[in-house]
């Protein structure tokens, strides 16, 4: 318990940041709907989503900054840290269910093609699909990169626990570089893919599942970059470093999701296809 505290929890004062975050998220998602229907909403589709995104990012930056300041003030007592862990676990659980939806769609298309005769011609793969990506080319390389990044972030975590700040920084640097490399290779893969998004069910399911995973890799890379900046500031200690711990959990979640994507979509889902 921090000095001067008479309780083991932290009472938050009234704040408009959670409301601003909610409004930003609502405005952004609503604006995306406007963007998808330009004939109906016109210029709103170009203004509303960007305004919502700006409000959302500003609110998130303010909120996270306040959390860091609370940690410096000694407000993150053991009880508060426990609740932060519960919150992160629930967030990752919600992300798991998010990806379950995309896997469900892919398996529904592939295992029961006769129920989608109008969409895919009653067969899998869809009639118009000529070739797919070779699972053992760039996808395998990206798998190795993410697995290696999981090792480097674990090295950084263990270094922090044992007071090795040099190892913490090196591990974070390597993980961030590997994350950027993964995103770059995935962008190259998309640019040279033999099929496009939206023309058939395979392309839609493939790009939505792997694309959202790529987005999570970018978010995780930013998360770890903030942790690296905080590590240089000396913010983390062996006993109090939940910000970094949450980033490491998130990164391991991204790794595991990619393994499922690689096995289910790139390998199993490509059986019987011509490989580009």
């Amino acid at each position: 318990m921090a000095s001067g505290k008479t309780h083991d929890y932290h009472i938050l004062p009234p704040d408009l940041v959670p409301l601003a975050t909610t409004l930003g998220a609502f405005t952004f998602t609503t604006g995306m709907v406007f963007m998808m229907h330009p004939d109906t909403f016109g210029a709103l589709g170009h203004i509303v989503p960007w305004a919502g995104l700006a409000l959302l990012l500003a609110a998130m930056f303010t909120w996270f900054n306040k959390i860091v300041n609370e940690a410096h003030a000694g407000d993150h007592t053991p009880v508060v840290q426990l609740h932060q862990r519960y919150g992160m676990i629930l967030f990752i659980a919600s992300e798991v269910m998010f990806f379950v939806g995309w896997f469900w769609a892919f398996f529904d298309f592939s295992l029961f093609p006769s129920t989608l005769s109008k969409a895919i011609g009653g067969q899998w793969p869809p009639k118009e699909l000529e070739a797919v990506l070779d699972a053992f080319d760039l996808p395998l390389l990206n798998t190795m990169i993410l697995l290696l990044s999981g090792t480097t972030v674990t090295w950084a975590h263990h270094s922090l626990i044992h007071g090795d700040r040099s190892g913490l920084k090196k591990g974070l640097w390597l993980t961030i570089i590997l994350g950027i490399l993964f995103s770059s290779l995935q962008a190259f893969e998309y640019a040279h893919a033999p099929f496009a998004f939206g023309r058939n069910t395979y392309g839609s399911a493939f790009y939505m599942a792997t694309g959202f995973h790529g987005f999570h890799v970018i978010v995780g890379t930013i998360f770890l970059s903030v942790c690296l900046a905080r590590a240089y500031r000396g913010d983390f200690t062996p006993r109090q470093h939940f910000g970094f711990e949450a980033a490491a959990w998130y990164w391991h979640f991204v790794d595991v999701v990619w393994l499922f994507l690689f096995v289910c979509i790139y390998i199993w889902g490509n059986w019987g296809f011509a490989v580009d």
Side-chain angles (χ1 to χ4, degrees), residues 50 84 103 110 129 145 173 248-249 259:
W50 291 108
Q84 289 174 330
F103 280 106
S110 58
L129 191 64
I145 289 172
W173 269 115
W249 289 359
L259 289 177

Side-chain angles (χ1 to χ4, degrees), residues 46-66:
H46 299 286
I47 299 173
V48 176
W50 291 108
L53 180 61
L55 177 59
L56 179 61
L57 292 176
M60 291 173 61
F61 178 83
T62 303
W63 200 342
F64 294 157
N65 186 59
K66 289 188 175 186

Side-chain angles (χ1 to χ4, degrees), residues 1-271:
M1 188 182 300
S3 59
K5 299 289 183 183
T6 58
H7 47 73
D8 57 0
Y9 53 88
H10 176 54
I11 301 176
L12 291 173
D15 201 317
L16 293 178
V17 173
L19 176 60
T21 305
T22 303
L23 290 176
F26 177 77
T27 304
F28 174 67
T29 53
T30 304
M32 292 300 293
V33 175
F34 291 170
M35 184 182 292
M36 295 175 188
H37 298 83
D39 295 337
T40 303
F41 297 102
L44 289 176
H46 299 286
I47 299 173
V48 176
W50 291 108
L53 180 61
L55 177 59
L56 179 61
L57 292 176
M60 291 173 61
F61 178 83
T62 303
W63 200 342
F64 294 157
N65 186 59
K66 289 188 175 186
I67 292 174
V68 172
N69 291 336
E70 289 171 1
H72 285 282
D75 293 325
H76 288 180
T77 64
V79 171
V80 173
Q81 292 184 51
L82 178 63
H83 291 169
Q84 289 174 330
R85 285 175 169 80
Y86 286 158
M88 191 64 191
I89 289 171
L90 290 174
F91 170 70
I92 291 177
S94 71
E95 292 284 272
V96 170
M97 298 311 298
F98 176 82
F99 278 101
V100 164
W102 301 120
F103 280 106
W104 192 319
F106 184 83
F107 282 112
D108 188 39
F109 294 153
S110 58
L111 295 176
F112 307 102
S114 61
T115 62
L116 298 167
S117 57
K118 292 183 179 179
I120 62 177
Q123 69 179 50
W124 187 263
K127 289 182 178 180
E128 68 274 21
L129 191 64
E130 297 180 356
V132 296
L133 295 166
D134 184 358
F136 298 100
D137 191 11
L138 282 182
L140 178 61
L141 177 58
N142 262 346
T143 301
M144 297 297 103
I145 289 172
L146 270 192
L147 290 176
L148 179 58
S149 72
T151 302
T152 56
V153 78
T154 301
W155 170 35
H157 190 197
H158 279 270
S159 296
L160 175 57
I161 292 174
H162 292 91
D164 180 9
R165 303 197 68 83
S166 176
L168 165 65
K169 296 171 185 175
K170 292 176 182 177
L172 280 172
W173 269 115
L174 287 174
T175 307
I176 292 167
I177 291 171
L178 290 170
I180 294 172
L181 179 59
F182 176 93
S183 298
S184 301
L185 289 176
Q186 188 172 48
F188 179 84
E189 177 183 271
Y190 282 3
H192 294 82
F195 52 89
F197 173 75
R199 293 185 180 177
N200 53 64
T201 51
Y202 179 90
S204 297
F206 173 87
Y207 282 110
M208 292 302 289
T210 61
F212 269 115
H213 175 270
F215 171 75
H216 283 71
V217 171
I218 294 172
V219 171
T221 303
I222 296 172
F223 201 170
L224 291 170
S225 298
V226 173
C227 289
L228 178 61
R230 294 188 63 193
Y232 274 98
R233 285 174 45 183
D235 285 1
F236 301 125
T237 67
R239 296 191 62 182
Q240 185 169 326
H241 54 269
F242 175 72
F244 172 72
E245 195 171 17
W249 289 359
Y250 187 86
W251 196 256
H252 288 308
F253 157 74
V254 168
D255 287 352
V256 172
V257 170
W258 176 257
L259 289 177
F260 278 97
L261 286 171
F262 180 68
V263 172
C264 296
I265 294 181
Y266 282 100
I267 298 180
W268 180 85
N270 286 0
W271 284 350

